[in-house]
Structures are given as structure tokens and as C-alpha cells.
Amino acid sequence: MQSSQIKHFDYIFTGTGLAALMTVYKMVLSGNFAHKSVLLLDQDVKKTNDRTWCFWEKEDSVWSPIVLKKWDSALFANENFKRDLNLIPYQYHQIRGLDFYDFVFEELSKHPNITFLNEKVTNINELETHVFVGSEENRYTCNYLLNSIYTSSTALSQMKYPVLQQHFVGWYVKTEKEVFNPEQATFMDFSVVQKGNTRFMYVLPVSKTEALVEYTLFSEKLLSTAEYENEIQIYLEKRGIEQYEIVEKEQGSIPMTCYPFWKKNTKRVLNIGTAGGWTKASTGYTFKSADKKSTDLVEFLYSSSSIKMTSFHKRSRFWFYDLLLLDILYRHNELGSGIFSSLFKKGDPQLIFKFLDEETSLIEDVKVILKCPKVPFIKALFRVIFLLNKFNLNQ
């Protein structure tokens, strides 16, 4: 009797982060899923500006209406040099989390086949013909489940793949004086004290008096909130910025790892977003990677009435490149500034961005890689090849 009350959906998304919302939004735009029932489950109502996403783009996209700011120029710096990067034909784009949520949910609310429920997922159980999903309030079933709830222990409990974090605290500040250049983003400023890590400042000015100033690390362990904020304060003071108001704060930690999350996919359950390894492992950038993979996923879901979720993932050579860099930074985190500085000191910024977007040819890959310090990468190459062979990780 109880089972008859369980509501069934074609697709259930557990977690409504970037990847899930991008995917459902594109499902709606495609017009190919109007006859499919979709449920989104998340304990978070998505009503706060909890994060900022940035990415580089050549042309307008479906997300252009919510881009807060674009830059044609970026600054790269360390303690020894500064370089203005001409990004054209790329532009560096900034999107606020709340603007993204509002934009997507406004569209989803127009479609009666899409349901969003503010519930915490407590149980997922895959059966032969469907997937059972339990929340604290209700029970559901679906044909296919797309999960974006990230469990950190999945990657941290293993020793085969290095795991770092891109962790940060950002202040949105408003100054009394005009101190920022709104035409240029500070992409990476390694002039801050490294303290044995890979540490840099990241500045996104939206006007001469307003900017997001973020202290970011690529390292294994997080800091106390006070440590991040102290470094932001020191950075502002060194630039003569003493009178300012902190309008908003943001804080986050994004896993950087080549751990094969896709091996957790099953016949009816697909892990997406960070939980599916969609984050660019070598940089922690999420938006562009999720944008591409969500487009591929919508096409995949539409391609067949009987699909196997295990067949979605495709691994490329860029996964191997990311693994090399992470191996170096995991063992010698202090080398990060030198590696990124060698790339950007004389390298073509357009080619570097193309490489980070995983759109380069093999010849272009070589041009970028040759800018990097040779010895650490050669050592990492032998270690990684040994690792892959030892544990049979080439699959």
C-alpha cells in the first residue's frame, strides 16, 4: 500500500549545484524533454549569493544575460615581474551565484514537468528497473538518477591519486577613493608570501571603487578564516587601500584531483559536477567545464531510450596533463608560483586559455608544455607512468 504513494519521475537530480542546474536548463531549452518528469532535490533553497564563477569565452552564450562584468585584459604578477595579458579574442567573464540561480529557476518555473523540492537526500538505492531516492520527508523513484552531492571521503580515503584543494576567502570591497582599474582583472598575483605553498591574490574590479579581492591557495590543507582575511587586509594596505567597506564575503574549497569519479557511475546513476569529476583538476575552474559537459549530457540523455550511465564519460589526454601538474604540486607545493609564472611570463595568453579549455591540438599542447620547468615535469612523468602501470589505472 505504501509503495503506491511513492511518486515516480523519469529523472531525479540529487543536489542542485552548477552542473545539475545547467543540465536541467539545457534540457528545457532543447525542447526534447517536455514529456519527461524531472525532480530536483536539494536542502539549499539557492536564495543567497554564495559564490562567484568566472570563465573565459570568445562569443556570447546562453549565460551572457547574467554576466556581471567582462574584461579584455588581465594582470599576471609575482614578486619579480608583472605582465598585462591581452585576452582578445577571449574575454574574462564573471557571474554571481545568485544571478545564475534566479536566471535558471525563473525559466524552470515555467515548465510543469520540472519539480524542485527543498529536501535533504538521505538514501539512494539502485534497483534493477529503477532507482529509489529517500529524503527526510518523502520517498521517490526514478528511471535515472543524476547525483551532484559531493562526498569528500571518496577521494580523500584513497592514496593512488593526489588530492589538493583550491580554497579561498573573498571580500567584495567598496573603497572611498578610486583605486581599481575596472578594465583589467588580476588573474593571478603571486607577489604575496608563499609560505611553502601555491598562494595568490585574485582581483575582479567592477568599478573604480568596487572589487572582489580573493586570497586563493592550491594546497592540501585549509587555513583558518582569520589567516585568509589577514592576507587580504595586508594586500589592500600595501596598495594604499585603507578606507573601505566589506560589502560581502565568500569562502569555498574546490577539490583538485584526477581521481576517476566516473568509475562510481552505474547503469542508472550518473555522478555529475564535482561529484563526477567535472571540475578542471589542475585549476579548480568549474563553470566552463560544467557548461561543456552539461551540453554533452543533454545530448547523451536524448540519444537513446535505453541508456547506460557508465558509457557517458570520455577521458582525454588533458586528464594526464592535469595529473602531472597535481603530482608536482602535491609533492612540492612551493613550486606553483614558478610553474604558472613560466607559463605566463612569455607564453601566449590566448593559447594558454585555449589549452586550459582543452581545445588545443597536440602541437599546441607541446608549445604550452615547453614553457613549463622541465625537471619537475620529467620527474612527474616517470612517477605517473609508474603509478598508472602499477595500479593498472589506464582504464
Side-chain angles (χ1 to χ4, degrees), residues 86-103:
N86 177 12
L87 306 182
I88 296 173
Y90 290 98
Q91 285 184 312
Y92 198 59
H93 292 202
Q94 177 189 10
I95 291 179
R96 298 169 73 247
L98 184 58
D99 294 339
F100 174 81
Y101 303 140
D102 289 346
F103 180 75

Side-chain angles (χ1 to χ4, degrees), residues 89-151:
Y90 290 98
Q91 285 184 312
Y92 198 59
H93 292 202
Q94 177 189 10
I95 291 179
R96 298 169 73 247
L98 184 58
D99 294 339
F100 174 81
Y101 303 140
D102 289 346
F103 180 75
V104 171
F105 279 115
E106 181 182 0
E107 180 61 37
L108 298 188
S109 67
K110 301 173 185 176
H111 300 269
N113 63 314
I114 310 292
T115 303
F116 172 76
L117 295 175
N118 186 214
E119 299 178 9
K120 182 180 180 180
V121 175
T122 56
N123 186 28
I124 296 172
N125 185 22
E126 181 177 3
L127 305 174
E128 181 61 31
T129 58
H130 61 276
V131 183
F132 172 87
V133 181
S135 75
E136 290 182 338
E137 294 85 359
N138 294 294
R139 302 291 181 268
Y140 309 96
T141 59
C142 62
N143 295 334
Y144 298 102
L145 176 78
L146 298 105
N147 173 61
S148 61
I149 299 173
Y150 175 69
T151 305

Side-chain angles (χ1 to χ4, degrees), residues 100-212:
F100 174 81
Y101 303 140
D102 289 346
F103 180 75
V104 171
F105 279 115
E106 181 182 0
E107 180 61 37
L108 298 188
S109 67
K110 301 173 185 176
H111 300 269
N113 63 314
I114 310 292
T115 303
F116 172 76
L117 295 175
N118 186 214
E119 299 178 9
K120 182 180 180 180
V121 175
T122 56
N123 186 28
I124 296 172
N125 185 22
E126 181 177 3
L127 305 174
E128 181 61 31
T129 58
H130 61 276
V131 183
F132 172 87
V133 181
S135 75
E136 290 182 338
E137 294 85 359
N138 294 294
R139 302 291 181 268
Y140 309 96
T141 59
C142 62
N143 295 334
Y144 298 102
L145 176 78
L146 298 105
N147 173 61
S148 61
I149 299 173
Y150 175 69
T151 305
S152 60
S153 60
T154 301
L156 293 175
S157 62
Q158 54 80 45
M159 300 298 292
K160 297 175 183 177
Y161 296 90
V163 181
L164 299 177
Q165 303 290 323
Q166 186 214 81
H167 50 110
F168 55 87
V169 166
W171 285 358
Y172 284 91
V173 298
K174 188 170 184 178
T175 61
E176 289 188 359
K177 298 178 180 178
E178 296 182 347
V179 292
F180 299 113
N181 176 9
E183 304 308 315
Q184 185 179 68
T186 298
F187 185 60
M188 285 178 157
D189 185 349
F190 283 99
S191 65
V192 296
V193 179
Q194 296 297 288
K195 301 181 182 179
N197 294 131
T198 299
R199 304 181 179 215
F200 60 92
M201 298 300 300
Y202 179 65
V203 184
L204 301 177
V206 296
S207 74
K208 292 181 179 179
T209 58
E210 298 168 290
L212 168 64

Side-chain angles (χ1 to χ4, degrees), residues 38-89:
V38 180
L39 171 64
L40 298 99
L41 289 172
D42 200 312
Q43 62 181 332
D44 183 2
V45 294
K46 304 298 179 183
K47 294 293 185 183
T48 59
N49 188 46
D50 56 352
R51 66 198 64 219
T52 297
W53 287 295
C54 289
F55 57 101
W56 42 90
E57 191 68 86
K58 288 183 181 179
E59 301 171 350
D60 287 342
S61 70
V62 294
W63 313 116
S64 295
I66 52 171
V67 171
L68 176 66
K69 178 70 176 173
K70 301 177 184 179
W71 295 271
D72 296 323
S73 173
L75 173 71
F76 182 93
N78 65 18
E79 68 278 9
N80 299 316
F81 79 92
K82 292 182 178 180
R83 184 184 176 194
D84 296 323
L85 306 175
N86 177 12
L87 306 182
I88 296 173

